[in-house]
Amino acid sequence: MIVKDEARSISNCLESVKGLVSEMIIIDTGSTDQTIDICKKHGAKVYPYMWKNDFADARNYGLSYATGDWILWLDADEELDATKKFLLQEILAHTNSYLLSLPILNYYGKTKPVNKDHVYLYYQLRVFRNYKDITFHNRIHETPLLPAELTDKEIENISIPIHHYGYLEDITETKQKGQRNLQLLQQEVADPSHSPWIEYHLASEYYRQGKYLQAFQYVNESILLFLHQNQLPPSLLYKLKYAMLIETNSLDGAWPSIEKAILLYPDYVDLHFYKGDILYKMKNYREALQAFEKCLELGDHHTEYLILKGTGSFKAGRYKGLCLEQLGRSEEAQEAFGFWDNTRLD
């Protein structure tokens, strides 16, 4: 872990892995609060590190101290799911995989306690064998970089969630994350060899700050850069692009171009949900109903996409009811509302 002034959340994070891990390695980049004392009380090893504006470098510094057979990497504003954490021990004892992907539950809203329905889910490589040639790359939004001999190894998806609270408004405002992230991303984008992912992350930061013009420019630039490299632009780019167009009520820009994105990712439930939302706002209730029924057919459970909870279940079900109401099918609408309300209670 990399930390700085995390006294507010670090105890919950370390408690979430207690009894599971054999060592806790903390790279402290200059804490002035009680973070270091709290870490040591939990039995963690704390190593000071001179901050270089490079999360990957700090993460790799931490890797150099790891002696276990497996690496689990976390952030201080995350917690491993308490109800399933010991299942991870059992999986590691029997798996032949080198790489494990876990679902990250990214909560949004103002503060804790969180609304469990206000969450984005995305699977990410978070556990890997302590293999000397696995290192992290990217100054910000660092990710494991796999050596050639591991690139063809299958990443095993396991359903042990990591709860991430770092996007809650009170945390981002207190830590001024947006300003810090933009500064690091601008350094990255100045490197001629940078990845098109950097433009995506810039778009995300501007989007979170409500600066939609800059965000839209960067998301389109990222798409073009991926295409110029003869790569299919990742699905995240289209999700962000159409989320922006819907929020700014730019329906003419969103329709019918979203159909092209769906052709690229026909099983991405969030894109079908956005399509239904666009059509509903355009008062095309019949086609919107078909889009939401497609969402319910696809469901919420996809390991390869960033999914907003409910787009394949209760959110789509509610819209289905609204469409049926507009089409004069009131009995079917009430049935849809009732079914999805009961599902959520279950």
Side-chain angles (χ1 to χ4, degrees):
M1 295 175 59
I2 308 168
V3 303
K4 181 182 179 183
D5 293 337
E6 296 286 1
R8 175 180 174 181
S9 56
I10 190 71
S11 186
N12 287 340
C13 178
L14 295 179
E15 193 66 36
S16 77
V17 297
K18 209 165 193 176
L20 173 67
V21 299
S22 58
E23 59 185 359
M24 301 177 184
I25 296 168
I26 307 295
I27 304 305
D28 185 82
T29 65
S31 292
T32 57
D33 62 4
Q34 298 302 306
T35 296
I36 293 175
D37 291 338
I38 295 169
C39 290
K40 289 180 176 178
K41 284 179 183 177
H42 280 274
K45 301 171 186 176
V46 182
Y47 299 95
Y49 171 84
M50 183 66 70
W51 180 238
K52 303 172 185 175
N53 283 342
D54 191 327
F55 281 93
D57 188 75
R59 196 77 71 178
N60 290 332
Y61 183 67
L63 280 181
S64 71
Y65 289 101
T67 63
D69 295 330
W70 290 90
I71 304 292
L72 163 66
W73 61 284
L74 293 170
D75 288 327
D77 52 19
E78 296 176 334
E79 298 167 21
L80 195 65
D81 191 274
T83 64
K84 293 187 176 182
K85 69 178 186 179
F86 290 110
L87 177 60
L88 181 57
Q89 236 170 15
E90 184 180 337
I91 290 170
L92 296 183
H94 297 97
T95 186
N96 292 319
S97 298
Y98 280 74
L99 315 161
L100 302 178
S101 184
L102 277 62
I104 315 299
L105 304 182
N106 297 294
Y107 295 98
Y108 62 91
K110 291 193 176 297
T111 188
K112 287 184 177 180
V114 297
N115 182 332
K116 293 297 179 70
D117 285 341
H118 291 179
V119 61
Y120 288 90
L121 184 148
Y122 190 60
Y123 275 72
Q124 187 178 38
L125 173 56
R126 284 303 189 96
V127 180
F128 53 87
R129 292 186 190 271
N130 192 358
Y131 190 85
K132 60 182 176 61
D133 290 328
I134 297 179
T135 57
F136 286 85
H137 71 129
N138 292 338
R139 186 186 302 272
I140 185 171
H141 299 296
E142 72 282 10
T143 56
L145 181 63
L146 305 180
E149 61 268 30
L150 292 185
T151 53
D152 62 344
K153 298 281 186 183
E154 186 175 349
I155 299 177
E156 183 178 350
N157 296 311
I158 58 173
S159 56
I160 301 173
I162 293 172
H163 302 275
H164 177 224
Y165 304 102
Y167 291 133
L168 294 176
E169 291 174 25
D170 66 330
I171 294 177
T172 57
E173 289 169 8
T174 301
K175 297 175 72 174
Q176 296 185 316
K177 274 186 166 184
Q179 182 180 347
R180 178 205 68 190
N181 290 353
L182 282 175
Q183 180 185 4
L184 294 178
L185 287 165
Q186 291 295 354
Q187 291 179 39
E188 283 280 291
V189 83
D191 181 349
S193 64
H194 73 271
S195 163
W197 277 112
I198 302 304
E199 277 80 4
Y200 164 76
H201 290 307
L202 279 165
S204 294
E205 289 299 334
Y206 282 121
Y207 172 69
R208 274 193 283 271
Q209 295 180 25
K211 298 177 179 178
Y212 296 121
L213 180 60
Q214 294 98 317
F216 196 68
Q217 289 172 341
Y218 273 115
V219 78
N220 282 329
E221 193 172 336
S222 182
I223 289 171
L224 286 173
L225 286 170
F226 274 109
L227 291 172
H228 287 159
Q229 294 182 5
N230 294 317
Q231 297 182 55
L232 176 66
S235 59
L236 284 169
L237 292 167
Y238 296 106
K239 177 177 174 63
L240 180 57
K241 177 175 180 173
Y242 288 99
M244 278 190 278
L245 288 170
I246 290 170
E247 277 196 46
T248 56
N249 204 34
S250 303
L251 301 184
D252 290 339
W255 181 259
S257 66
I258 194 171
E259 294 279 48
K260 295 178 182 178
I262 290 173
L263 283 174
L264 296 175
Y265 295 101
D267 59 343
Y268 193 177
V269 64
D270 283 37
L271 290 181
H272 288 278
F273 185 83
Y274 288 162
K275 174 183 173 180
D277 191 10
I278 294 163
L279 290 167
Y280 185 85
K281 287 180 167 68
M282 295 173 66
K283 300 185 179 181
N284 187 341
Y285 303 118
R286 196 171 302 282
E287 288 190 43
L289 175 61
Q290 293 172 0
F292 293 123
E293 286 177 335
K294 180 64 177 181
C295 292
L296 296 172
E297 176 190 323
L298 289 169
D300 276 339
H301 306 291
H302 300 269
T303 59
E304 64 271 40
Y305 297 125
L306 174 68
I307 302 291
L308 173 62
K309 183 178 179 181
T311 55
S313 56
F314 62 87
K315 289 182 187 294
R318 183 177 185 322
Y319 263 111
K320 177 181 177 179
L322 291 172
C323 289
L324 289 167
E325 274 188 337
Q326 294 293 338
L327 293 168
R329 296 157 64 179
S330 56
E331 288 187 15
E332 293 173 78
Q334 292 308 311
E335 186 179 340
F337 290 138
F339 175 80
W340 289 107
D341 284 346
N342 289 335
T343 301
R344 290 179 70 186
L345 290 173
D346 292 342

